Amino acid sequence: MGSSRGEFMISKRIACIGAGYVGGPTMAVIAMKCPQYKVNVVDVSEARIKAWQTDNLPIFEPGLLDVVRAARGRNLFFSTEISAAIRESEVIFVSVNTPTKTFGEGAGKAADLQYWEKVAREILRESGSSKIVVEKSTLPVKTAQTMENILNANGKKVHFEVISNPEFLAEGTAVKDLLEPDRVLIGSRETPQGFAARQEIVDIYANWVPKDRILTSNVWSAELSKLVANAFLAQRISSINSISALCEKTDASVQEVARAVGMDSRIGSRFLNASVGFGGSCFKKDILNLVYICESYGLQEAARYWESVLAMNEFQETRFVRTIIREMFNTIVGKRIALFGFAFKADTSDTRESPSIYVARKLLEERAFVAVTDPKALDNARIDLAGYKENLDFVEDPYEAAKGAHAVAIMTEWAMYRSLDWENIYRSMEKPAFLFDGRNVLNHEQLYNLGFNVYPLGRPPLKHF
Ligand code: UDX
Ligand code: UDX
């Protein structure tokens, strides 16, 4: 298909509406792997699109800049021209955000589908020919039906087929997850037109994903599988976190328990790291959504079961703050506490639903002085804590953040925290110096020997008094 000059005939035009954490990286990988397609990524946010056009991308994701640079200007384009992108494309991915509804019926649980519906109507208005519309956003099961009803209620004689193709990438490993996915899931209606559309999407991924990893299903199964995958992952973390609380009371070590349990091949070893709590834009939102769906079908017991996964996560965050206050002699008024990490996990600048937000707020309410440090997420941290003006500092350098502090709390498992000069940090702190490891990433015995009072998660503390 390619000519000797490295140029390609365009065989498919793809648009993606929503240039966020999901849309941006996914389309960049499709464009890099498929030079024969033209990929237009569009968004209402001019600032976001401008950033995608520079080397200062709007999101930090290891390896992403190389992927973007390989295709940008060749067959990957970023713009705010949503109408034009819709008109010229045969396949339209939609990855606008679907936050938890904050108003009216289902507030606090149901997904807010207003952006999705707005986009569907825009697609309908601009389309002069039949198109495949791909749900990339995570949506409640049965949304495809609603979308088809809206899209196909037209007098235009154009037909829309709605496909569910949920994205399973995790932030921080997005590029790797996209290049070598465990599986790609593509759901369609089981009609001749549905099967044909399904095949078109299979063909896109088959450019680089082995066939046996491309799963197809009916459209409802695909929509529901995304919610269920996230619920199961979150449930594992809540399960191990509940055990971390018990370990602290019983001299057991949660890491040893996790290793012993995880070596059972039926259980598996991943996603068993106890933590201060899970964050990220998906887990809470998707579980709330699952709870709402169960409730709306009258399945109260199923709803309560999944709700408990969230309750355990809140318990873990609350417990972390309570331990800090209790161990620091029941008062933290005026004490400097350095939060190491604000991102919801390592290798991302994203702070959505980060446990750090909750912990920082609680500490500030207790009138501590909070110094926040993070290698990538300080800009977002400033936005998250914008309501707090006093007793708060944002510091690039972790050594500066810890200087004069009574305590350091590890909130994000950034690799750099392991290799800091902890002796130096200890010397610069107020005494007694406390260290609360909310991610169990440091060498606790070594820190104890340096003089710290160390509070790992899911293990009894190492205290000098
Ligand atoms: C995605 C999914 O779409 C969401 O459903 C899933 O659960 C998590 O991942 P994400 O990419 O993380 O969301 O969201 P975000 O980074 O907020 O990106 C969404 C983009 O859509 C934003 O850049 C926003 O400007 C854009 N948008 C939103 C539009 O272009 N049009 C709209 O009408 C609304
Ligand atoms: C998640 C899913 O993994 C991904 O498949 C889906 O597409 C989007 O939601 P993400 O939220 O980006 O991805 O990150 P993930 O690695 O799942 O971590 C979520 C949270 O769980 C983070 O706060 C992380 O620190 C925490 N976590 C993870 C733990 O506390 N312990 C673990 O063992 C694993």
Side-chain angles (χ1 to χ4, degrees), residues 133 135 139-145 148 161-166 185-190 194 198 216-226:
V133 176
E135 298 178 342
L139 294 163
V141 57
K142 290 274 173 185
T143 306
Q145 183 69 63
E148 282 201 348
E161 202 59 42
V162 178
I163 296 286
S164 168
N165 170 220
L185 179 57
I186 300 166
S188 71
R189 289 194 310 154
E190 299 186 306
R198 180 194 282 190
T216 54
S217 73
N218 82 32
V219 67
W220 320 130
S221 307
E223 287 178 333
L224 188 56
S225 298
K226 172 64 198 251

Side-chain angles (χ1 to χ4, degrees), residues 17-24 42-45 48 52 59 82 94-99 114-116 118-119 122 136-139 171 226 230 281-282 285-286 350 352:
I17 306 177
Y21 285 89
V22 170
V42 292
D43 198 292
V44 287
S45 162
R48 244 192 184 173
W52 280 111
I59 61 175
I82 300 178
V94 182
S95 65
V96 299
N97 41 338
T98 48
Q114 61 170 313
Y115 306 118
W116 236 99
K118 195 182 90 196
V119 166
E122 220 165 347
K136 247 307 163 204
S137 309
T138 307
L139 294 163
E171 288 175 33
K226 172 64 198 251
N230 275 346
S281 70
C282 290
K285 165 174 78 72
D286 291 352
D350 194 353
R352 289 177 293 178

Side-chain angles (χ1 to χ4, degrees), residues 248 320 322-329 406-410 432-442 444 447-448 452-465:
E248 286 166 32
F320 190 75
R322 278 200 201 129
T323 304
I324 293 179
I325 298 169
R326 187 187 63 235
E327 296 298 325
M328 293 177 76
F329 316 116
H406 294 253
V408 168
I410 305 289
F434 292 86
L435 197 138
F436 300 91
D437 189 350
R439 297 286 181 171
N440 278 344
V441 287
L442 300 181
H444 302 137
L447 291 167
Y448 173 74
F452 281 103
N453 295 296
V454 186
Y455 297 80
L457 266 182
R459 265 184 66 191
L462 302 166
K463 303 199 269 194
H464 293 282
F465 44 79

Side-chain angles (χ1 to χ4, degrees), residues 158-395:
V158 295
H159 177 76
F160 297 93
E161 202 59 42
V162 178
I163 296 286
S164 168
N165 170 220
E167 185 46 64
F168 295 104
L169 68 82
E171 288 175 33
T173 52
V175 172
K176 185 175 173 296
D177 294 343
L178 287 163
L179 290 173
E180 298 158 34
D182 285 353
R183 79 309 205 182
V184 169
L185 179 57
I186 300 166
S188 71
R189 289 194 310 154
E190 299 186 306
T191 59
Q193 279 171 315
F195 285 128
R198 180 194 282 190
Q199 192 56 44
E200 291 254 353
I201 308 305
V202 168
D203 290 345
I204 295 176
Y205 288 98
N207 281 289
W208 79 96
V209 179
K211 286 243 162 55
D212 59 355
R213 295 203 175 187
I214 304 180
L215 291 185
T216 54
S217 73
N218 82 32
V219 67
W220 320 130
S221 307
E223 287 178 333
L224 188 56
S225 298
K226 172 64 198 251
L227 292 183
V228 174
N230 275 346
F232 270 54
L233 290 169
Q235 178 212 41
R236 280 174 76 89
I237 303 168
S238 277
S239 296
I240 200 69
N241 280 345
S242 77
I243 300 305
S244 76
L246 184 57
C247 287
E248 286 166 32
K249 302 276 186 206
T250 57
D251 287 351
S253 152
V254 76
Q255 283 164 313
E256 289 176 355
V257 173
R259 196 170 64 217
V261 171
M263 274 179 76
D264 186 325
S265 59
R266 293 169 302 176
I267 295 173
S269 61
R270 297 182 62 194
F271 263 69
L272 287 180
N273 292 322
S275 66
V276 51
F278 59 72
S281 70
C282 290
F283 284 178
K284 184 172 175 191
K285 165 174 78 72
D286 291 352
I287 291 176
L288 286 171
N289 197 337
L290 188 60
V291 167
Y292 182 74
I293 294 169
C294 290
E295 280 173 351
S296 61
Y297 287 105
L299 303 170
Q300 300 304 338
E301 288 76 7
R304 296 293 81 75
Y305 175 75
W306 287 108
E307 216 164 37
S308 73
V309 171
L310 293 177
M312 183 51 59
N313 200 50
E314 282 165 25
F315 170 66
Q316 190 74 347
E317 292 173 343
T318 312
R319 213 166 69 75
F320 190 75
V321 175
R322 278 200 201 129
T323 304
I324 293 179
I325 298 169
R326 187 187 63 235
E327 296 298 325
M328 293 177 76
F329 316 116
N330 288 309
T331 173
I332 53 173
V333 177
K335 292 180 183 168
R336 183 179 175 95
I337 300 181
L339 296 185
F340 276 34
F342 210 83
F344 80 96
K345 63 185 278 195
D347 294 326
T348 176
S349 55
D350 194 353
T351 61
R352 289 177 293 178
E353 298 294 337
S354 176
S356 299
I357 301 173
Y358 171 86
V359 170
R361 284 185 182 152
K362 282 286 166 199
L363 297 177
L364 288 164
E365 281 161 23
E366 288 288 334
R367 303 196 183 163
F369 187 102
V370 175
V372 177
T373 180
D374 189 290
K376 294 286 175 194
L378 280 193
D379 287 346
N380 282 329
R382 282 192 189 91
I383 297 168
D384 295 327
L385 298 176
Y388 298 86
K389 300 286 171 235
E390 285 175 4
N391 297 334
L392 181 59
D393 205 359
F394 299 91
V395 202

